[in-house]
Amino acid sequence: MGVIARYRERLPVTDATPMVDLDEGSTPLVESRNIAASLGLRRLFFKYEGLNPTGSFKDRGMCVAVAKALEAGSKVLVCASTGNTSASAAAYAARCRMRAVVFIPSGEIALNKLSQALMYGAKVVALKGNFDRALATVRELADSYPVALVNSVNPYRIEGQKTAAFEIVDALGEAPDYLLLPVGNAGNITAYWRGFREYHEAGKSANLPRMVGAQAEGAAPIVLGRPVENPKTVATAIKIGNPASWEGATSARDESGGLIEAVSDTEILQAQIRLASTEGLFAEPASVAPLALLYRLVREGRLEKDATTVVVLTGSGLKDPDVAIANVEPPVELDGDARSLAKALKL
Ligand SMILES: *Cc1c(COP(=O)(O)O)cnc(C)c1O
């Protein structure tokens, strides 16, 4: 069952809204074994959003945005994307027999994300310039032509994405003390905060989490307090210089008593390897920015060790393997019989 069916009373849908789903959501909340132990944390969980149908959390909001677009009579979806939004829009368009036209920053998106959009049958347009420019272009398009804009400036995206907060509370029986996630265009931190607040108001949780956002050092407009003209980071999903939901992110941070900080690409790549090699969870670079930040907070004594912490792993590591494997040992070339192999491998 998808998120619309599971949470319909908390979503802006009616009987007139077509049912759209790819069985998104219901992702695992995996309890950490080894990172928690190494950091001395009592309860640490990973919300593994990479297991959504197109490999990122974008599917949660896309199904709602597409359902509402269909309800309004739209036939064409458009978006700007660093990769995952285009993959998700393309998949749901295919599912609903709509057209999708996706605009990507030329030469900047991970190959596997591009392959998804192409395979799902979207029209992919590579635009010169970065994501922020592509978003400005599609906003203009959507203002003047009969197309549905499905970036996270679309309020239905945020509505659908808040269901991840519901799932966490449903799984834990309460809200965590800390919720850590990456911040790019800032729709997701806005959505989680809304979800936690709505559940709290409905009496489903006694507490609210502190919202902790991670940006990449070279793309940290919210941390710096001003737009970044030429954002730079290996974490392409958060390589954004002027977030559309800026205000939503700072409200989430301030109202929850949380924080938003930047981590370096080196910290991100280290966290990616640690997560994969000690927990068996492979997440894309943007997804592990909050884990890199968690290491810092614990090291500096800024996060209580008996707190319940959830780190959102927003996208699958299979989205962008080139960046990841550039940092590990390549396969070894060996040949020979069992005996010589065993000797070489110290078995
Ligand atoms: C889109 C995305 C982000 C950033 O989310 P925002 O809502 O833009 O802040 C982070 N990680 C992954 C994997 C994404 O696809």
Side-chain angles (χ1 to χ4, degrees):
M1 216 194 285
V3 300
I4 297 180
R6 281 171 40 243
Y7 292 108
R8 80 176 286 122
E9 76 282 5
R10 300 190 185 282
L11 293 171
V13 295
T14 66
D15 292 342
T17 314
M19 188 53 79
V20 172
D21 76 77
L22 276 167
D23 275 14
E24 62 289 320
S26 305
T27 54
L29 187 65
V30 182
E31 181 152 17
S32 167
R33 288 189 175 200
N34 299 315
I35 291 180
S38 73
L39 290 175
L41 297 180
R42 196 169 65 86
R43 291 180 90 205
L44 172 64
F45 297 87
F46 299 105
K47 181 66 171 161
Y48 196 35
E49 290 287 279
L51 288 194
N52 274 296
T54 76
S56 85
F57 74 85
K58 299 295 198 298
D59 297 340
R60 291 179 183 277
M62 196 58 70
C63 63
V64 182
V66 171
K68 296 303 283 187
L70 275 175
E71 184 182 344
S74 298
K75 295 187 173 60
V76 185
L77 306 177
V78 297
C79 67
S81 179
T82 60
N84 286 335
T85 298
S86 64
S88 188
Y92 285 87
R95 181 86 161 164
C96 299
R97 309 193 133 262
M98 300 174 85
R99 275 182 71 197
V101 183
V102 307
F103 292 81
I104 56 169
S106 181
E108 298 220 4
I109 86 166
L111 178 63
N112 292 13
K113 300 179 184 181
L114 178 61
S115 76
Q116 288 182 287
L118 293 169
M119 289 305 295
Y120 296 133
K123 184 80 182 169
V124 178
V125 182
L127 269 188
K128 283 213 183 70
N130 58 27
F131 169 82
D132 302 285
R133 167 150 192 260
L135 181 58
T137 306
V138 291
R139 288 180 98 152
E140 229 180 282
L141 252 180
D143 281 345
S144 323
Y145 297 89
V147 294
L149 178 63
V150 294
N151 279 99
S152 61
V153 294
N154 179 322
Y156 300 120
R157 282 274 311 277
I158 309 282
E159 284 293 310
Q161 284 171 210
K162 75 186 180 188
T163 59
F166 298 161
E167 287 180 12
I168 290 171
V169 175
D170 287 340
L172 295 176
E174 61 185 356
D177 298 306
Y178 292 91
L179 190 286
L180 280 74
L181 81 176
V183 175
N185 218 16
N188 212 28
I189 190 171
T190 305
Y192 268 87
W193 182 233
R194 186 181 300 170
F196 283 122
R197 273 182 317 166
E198 284 184 16
Y199 247 31
H200 179 63
E201 279 155 26
K204 297 251 189 191
S205 68
N207 60 321
L208 285 167
R210 287 178 195 269
M211 301 293 293
V212 177
Q215 298 206 290
E217 262 173 16
I222 296 174
V223 178
L224 297 170
R226 58 173 165 78
V228 173
E229 184 94 17
N230 288 309
K232 288 196 176 58
T233 170
V234 287
T236 50
I238 52 172
K239 187 171 163 184
I240 290 173
N242 192 9
S245 298
W246 193 310
E247 167 93 46
T250 50
S251 300
R253 176 193 65 195
D254 300 341
E255 291 168 22
S256 73
L259 54 94
I260 298 177
E261 286 187 18
V263 291
S264 69
D265 281 3
T266 307
E267 288 174 283
I268 287 172
L269 294 171
Q270 249 172 19
Q272 188 182 34
I273 293 175
R274 279 181 179 159
L275 178 69
S277 65
T278 68
E279 298 281 13
L281 296 170
F282 186 20
E284 68 168 278
S287 300
V288 291
L291 179 60
L293 182 53
L294 177 70
Y295 275 101
R296 180 192 302 165
L297 296 179
V298 172
R299 193 169 62 236
E300 296 176 356
R302 296 155 70 198
L303 187 139
E304 308 82 44
K305 299 211 160 172
D306 60 353
T308 299
T309 300
V310 173
V311 175
V312 182
L313 301 176
T314 46
S316 165
L318 297 175
K319 290 275 193 177
D320 195 1
D322 302 347
V323 165
I325 62 169
N327 297 292
V328 289
E329 268 186 51
V332 284
E333 295 278 349
L334 286 177
D335 202 359
D337 58 11
R339 213 167 137 251
S340 63
L341 287 174
K343 188 155 180 260
L345 293 167
K346 302 193 172 62
L347 299 178

